[in-house]
Amino acid sequence: SVNQKADYLMSSLKEQLQSLSIVNEIRGLGLMVGIEINQSAAPILAELRAAGFIALSAGEKVIRLLPPLTVTEEELQQAVDILKSILKNIG
């Protein structure tokens, strides 16, 4: 079921975030995902934390997601919605 969740997350991210001007690339392996953006990730990470979303950076311009293996598809969709809202407002 982890592969199914990883596929769901990647397809949701690409479908909803790839068209945003701030997003350069979305890449991943399993549930480990990197979203490369065209500006510093630090302010975005601060906004994500304020929204209750824990994410890290992987370099200056990459937002790293590493959800637990027990995450549900509903929780993944909620995460994508939060990301989209924040990235849309910044980008």
Side-chain angles (χ1 to χ4, degrees):
S1 75
V2 173
N3 289 332
Q4 192 174 17
K5 292 174 191 179
D7 291 343
Y8 176 83
L9 176 59
M10 188 60 74
S11 65
S12 294
L13 288 170
K14 287 186 176 184
E15 180 182 310
Q16 295 188 38
L17 303 183
Q18 192 69 55
S19 63
L20 299 177
S21 62
I22 192 172
V23 176
N24 289 340
E25 181 182 13
I26 300 170
R27 55 186 179 261
L29 180 62
L31 284 173
M32 183 173 54
V33 176
I35 303 168
E36 183 180 335
I37 56 176
N38 58 22
Q39 63 185 37
S40 174
I44 296 168
L45 291 171
E47 286 198 40
L48 288 170
R49 277 190 294 276
F53 188 114
I54 298 173
L56 302 170
S57 65
E60 183 183 345
K61 296 183 177 185
V62 177
I63 299 167
R64 180 175 54 173
L65 309 179
L66 190 56
L69 300 179
T70 58
V71 69
T72 65
E73 285 189 6
E74 293 80 20
E75 291 167 331
L76 291 172
Q77 187 56 54
Q78 183 181 15
V80 172
D81 292 343
I82 293 169
L83 271 166
K84 182 178 180 182
S85 173
I86 290 173
L87 291 175
K88 199 173 189 180
N89 288 335
I90 290 178

